[in-house]
Amino acid sequence: MRVSGYCKTKRWFALLSCLSLSSMLLAACGGPASILDPQGPVAANETFLFWVILIIALLVFVVVEGILLYSIVRYRERPGMPNPRQIHGNMKLEIAWTAVPTVILFIVLFFTIRGVLQVAPEAEPADANKVEVTAIGHQWWWEFHYGKYNITTADSMHIPVNTVVRVNLFSNNVIHSFWVPQLTGKTDVVPGHTNTRWFVAKKTGEYLGLCAEYCGTQHANMRFNVIVDTPDQFQTWVSTQQRAAVPPASGSLEAQGQTLFKQQCATCHGIVGVNATRYVDTAAMCSDAFPGSSPSNTTNCPVGPNLTHFGSRDFIAGGVLAHNRAQCHPNNPNLLEQCNLAKWLQNPQAVKPGNDMAIGQLTTEQIRSLVAYLESLQ
Ligand code: CUA
């Protein structure tokens, strides 16, 4: 059969598209948030299951395609060839190609069920130092409430190394999915139903977390980082977070920023020691189970993240920007171009279209004072 030039080009185009797409997918697996580099037992179990299924699938693929290619070449039509032997109704073959896939699928089922049981809530190891965190999915950022320590943060979740962490997942808006590829697989965050997830981090460091369920326009920009501390670092972090914000010196740029915060930001954001007396457990206060605590009740259920220790976080606005402190010194003449926090304050809708942040147009001086104040909240 003759293939026209157009068809040939189309075939090559399709082949190249497949190749480039698969290399892009493979490249995505090698990044910092790769499931192929697990750093805890839960993620390791899930990665093991991934390899088991991948290897079985590859073996099946190679064997089936091998037989297919061999048959195509070996038994291709040649002039004068007789009709091939007909095998319709061959009982042995029928039994073999029913039994072999069944056995293979039962092997996959065995490892899948074993994997599910290994990471199930019931398999959570006993640990006297267990840390329990409520992760709250907002549109589009993550809030973390530590009930035992009575602290609430956003964007950055601190946990101690080699310690069981139980995460209770709460949403009062849409379905999100909590995912830290190197520590734990995806768990849905469903309104009206609290899922739980446990995991352990075996190595200190920072791990990227993501939302893995499409939840609106900024779904891809709903990220957080998990900071795994030594037990001492974790305790220091907890006691720092428990403190109210340090008041700025009167007459300073920071003090101007605080005044501006009270005028422009205090309806949606809380700062303990400024416009809030304590941290709020959003999951409890914003739940439909608590009448009078609907999300429009901004005292009990603030719209934006608590900023009491904003300066200590690594992400801004649900991970859409990195918190580049070095560029955010108020004396930086290029503050608006270089400091991500300043960019965010200048035009939050340009940075993350569709987000809930509503702030009037600020002058450069106002942005400078707000940056100085927020950066001082360590
Ligand atoms: Cu939250 Cu996607």
Side-chain angles (χ1 to χ4, degrees):
M1 189 181 74
R2 275 192 65 231
V3 181
S4 75
Y6 171 70
C7 262
K8 261 188 194 163
T9 322
K10 225 166 82 170
R11 273 192 201 168
W12 274 108
F13 181 73
L15 189 67
L16 284 175
S17 307
C18 282
L19 276 174
S20 59
L21 192 66
S22 56
S23 59
M24 272 195 292
L25 285 171
L26 287 173
C29 292
S34 172
I35 64 149
L36 302 179
D37 181 26
Q39 297 295 333
V42 168
N45 281 330
E46 289 160 347
T47 304
F48 176 75
L49 183 62
F50 167 80
W51 283 118
V52 168
I53 295 175
L54 182 74
I55 288 167
I56 291 176
L58 269 178
L59 285 176
V60 170
F61 178 80
V62 169
V63 169
V64 170
E65 293 303 306
I67 294 173
L68 180 69
L69 286 177
Y70 173 81
S71 307
I72 288 173
V73 176
R74 174 76 180 72
Y75 302 108
R76 66 188 183 279
E77 191 179 15
R78 296 185 192 95
M81 271 197 36
N83 272 343
R85 189 159 55 90
Q86 299 302 301
I87 54 168
H88 177 76
N90 186 317
M91 190 58 101
K92 275 185 201 157
L93 270 181
E94 294 287 348
I95 291 174
W97 62 43
T98 306
V100 172
T102 306
V103 170
I104 291 172
L105 286 178
F106 267 101
I107 294 172
V108 171
L109 183 68
F110 167 79
F111 282 105
T112 304
I113 291 177
R114 199 183 73 139
V116 167
L117 294 179
Q118 278 168 336
V119 303
E122 294 75 22
E124 185 186 299
D127 184 348
N129 299 320
K130 182 179 80 183
V131 172
E132 199 162 347
V133 187
T134 305
I136 300 137
H138 292 271
Q139 278 178 310
W140 296 274
W141 53 283
W142 293 94
E143 186 170 32
F144 302 102
H145 179 71
Y146 298 67
K148 183 174 150 194
Y149 305 115
N150 194 21
I151 52 183
T152 305
T153 70
D155 293 359
S156 293
M157 175 184 173
H158 279 251
I159 57 167
V161 72
N162 285 321
T163 308
V164 173
V165 179
R166 183 192 292 173
V167 188
N168 301 314
L169 298 162
F170 176 86
S171 168
N172 73 344
N173 42 82
V174 298
I175 301 175
H176 305 274
S177 180
F178 180 89
W179 187 29
V180 190
Q182 286 178 280
L183 299 177
T184 173
K186 304 164 184 175
T187 311
D188 275 357
V189 185
V190 184
H193 174 85
T194 301
N195 276 333
T196 64
R197 189 73 160 139
W198 69 273
F199 63 91
V200 176
K202 288 288 182 196
K203 221 166 79 182
T204 56
E206 286 189 25
Y207 303 96
L208 184 66
L210 307 153
C211 178
E213 176 80 37
Y214 182 72
C215 55
T217 47
Q218 292 295 332
H219 153 71
N221 286 325
M222 188 172 164
R223 306 196 298 166
F224 59 103
N225 63 346
V226 178
I227 297 153
V228 182
D229 296 323
T230 63
D232 283 353
Q233 286 171 334
F234 180 70
Q235 281 310 323
T236 308
W237 178 79
V238 166
S239 43
T240 308
Q241 298 292 313
Q242 283 171 332
R243 274 181 236 138
V246 178
S250 70
S252 64
L253 190 62
E254 286 82 354
Q256 290 173 31
Q258 192 191 56
T259 308
L260 195 58
F261 168 83
K262 289 183 195 163
Q263 294 162 355
Q264 293 265 3
C265 324
T267 315
C268 302
H269 295 277
I271 293 183
V272 176
V274 178
N275 66 329
T277 51
R278 62 189 172 83
Y279 286 114
V280 169
D281 176 1
T282 314
M285 302 310 288
C286 303
S287 166
D288 294 334
F290 292 77
S293 297
S294 67
S296 58
N297 180 340
T298 52
T299 309
N300 284 335
C301 184
V303 172
N306 187 293
L307 300 176
T308 308
H309 295 283
F310 172 82
S312 69
R313 296 173 194 161
D314 296 334
F315 280 163
I316 297 172
V320 71
L321 294 171
H323 186 184
N324 57 346
R325 297 175 187 83
Q327 272 69 48
C328 294
H329 194 276
N331 293 338
N332 179 354
N334 301 316
L335 191 77
L336 290 183
E337 292 79 38
Q338 291 173 351
C339 166
N340 281 340
L341 176 58
K343 278 185 211 165
W344 171 248
L345 290 170
Q346 190 183 29
N347 192 349
Q349 292 306 325
V351 174
K352 191 169 183 173
N355 83 82
D356 280 339
M357 174 114 154
I359 191 166
Q361 190 58 57
L362 303 171
T363 65
T364 306
E365 262 329 289
Q366 286 176 319
I367 292 174
R368 208 176 280 283
S369 68
L370 262 184
V371 168
Y373 177 56
L374 292 170
E375 290 296 332
S376 76
L377 299 173
Q378 287 296 323

